[in-house]
Structures are given as C-alpha cells and as structure tokens.
Amino acid sequence: MSPNQQTASETKPETKPETKQYIPSVFRISPIIRITLITFYWALLIPLPFLAKVSSTPVSPIVLWIGISLGFLALYGALSEQVIVDDEKIQVAYPNWVPRFFRKGWQLHWKQVKDLKMRTTGQGGLVYYFISQSSDQAYLLPMRVVGFNRLVKLVQNYTGIDTTDIRPLAQPWMYLILFGFTLLLLLVDGWTITTAINQGLIY
C-alpha cells in the first residue's frame, strides 16, 4: 500500500460521543387558583372608585384606580411563580418583569437538602420546608402548582426523602366553591353599579 493511500478507518471523520440532555420540569400555579384569586381581587375592589364618587371620601377615584391597577400587577406577578426542577436543583423563579425586591425566588441544590420539615399553618393546614445543610434557612415547598404529585415524586427521587404522605395545601374543589361565590359577588357589584348609574348617582 502506497503512503498516499489511507484506510477507511483513517479517513472516517472523528465523532464525539452523544451527551444526554436533561429537560427541566416546570410547574406553574394551578389555573383555577390564579383565575379565582384574580377574579376575587377585582370583585372586592372594583366598587371602591364608584363608592368614592357618591361619598365624601377625600380619595380621588383616579387615585383608587391607579392603586387597584398596581395591586393587580403585584398579584399577577406573585401568581406567575414557576417551580423548575432538574437533576441538580429545585428552583422557584419569576418572570423578568417582576422586581426582585418584591419576589426574589430561590434555588436549592439537591445535595444541599438535609430534610423536609412539616409545619402547621394558622388555619390548621400543613406546609413543608426544605432544610439546607449549609445554612439554617428554610425553603417553602410550593404546594399550589399543577402536577404537585409529580413534583413530590421528583423530590423523593432526588433526595431520598419519603414524600408519600405529603398532600396539597388546598384541594381544587375549595377554589371552585370560592370561585362560585366570587362570581355571585361580581353579579352584585354589577347590579349595584348599574343601578347607581341609572339613578344618576354616578356619571
């Protein structure tokens, strides 16, 4: 074989071994929770600017509308929470438009998780906190996300902590009941405002 001839193995381009990429799991707050809380917010506060017109309150309706709008942005930002889980860590994050001083978020590597502690809320519910090995800081396990059962299974797989008895803080039917009462409140708001306009009390 001449020096200019090469074997097929020598001319074959070198290939790099394929690396498996892990796609993070993203959990968002349940839509029924978001819709219920946003609707309840508007049902409670929409009447205030109209009441300011027919009462002797020193606060301008325009100021109330501005305050209500800012409050809605704050509520919407808080409800935009995302829980991101991969093979290295769990992370709670918010969109870039949410100021960090309002909602900072956090992340915790699985190797830093020491334990998952249970705490009782003032209403008698149960919440759970991650305890870190590197500090005394505790991290609240998000419990109002879609796919919560899958989330706790991932926590168990990556930490070895038994999550069998962990349940969501509130069941969907609780928010459905609240949503029903919220719609009723909106109907009362609409009827009251329409009546006041027809009577010339609001213009």
Side-chain angles (χ1 to χ4, degrees), residues 71-101:
F72 169 72
L73 289 177
L75 175 63
Y76 190 83
L79 294 176
S80 299
E81 176 183 286
Q82 298 180 1
V83 183
I84 305 172
V85 175
D86 57 29
D87 56 349
E88 294 183 355
K89 64 183 181 301
I90 179 173
Q91 179 181 6
V92 173
Y94 296 88
N96 293 331
W97 61 268
V98 178
R100 290 181 60 83
F101 69 83

Side-chain angles (χ1 to χ4, degrees), residues 108 110-116 130-134 161:
L108 181 64
W110 296 121
K111 60 183 179 181
Q112 295 178 344
V113 177
K114 180 179 180 181
D115 201 356
L116 193 59
F130 289 107
I131 306 300
S132 173
Q133 294 181 358
S134 58
I161 299 174

Side-chain angles (χ1 to χ4, degrees), residues 160-178:
I161 299 174
D162 186 12
T163 60
T164 306
D165 296 330
I166 298 180
R167 297 290 182 269
L169 183 60
Q171 298 298 327
W173 61 267
M174 299 179 181
Y175 286 95
L176 288 175
I177 293 176
L178 178 58

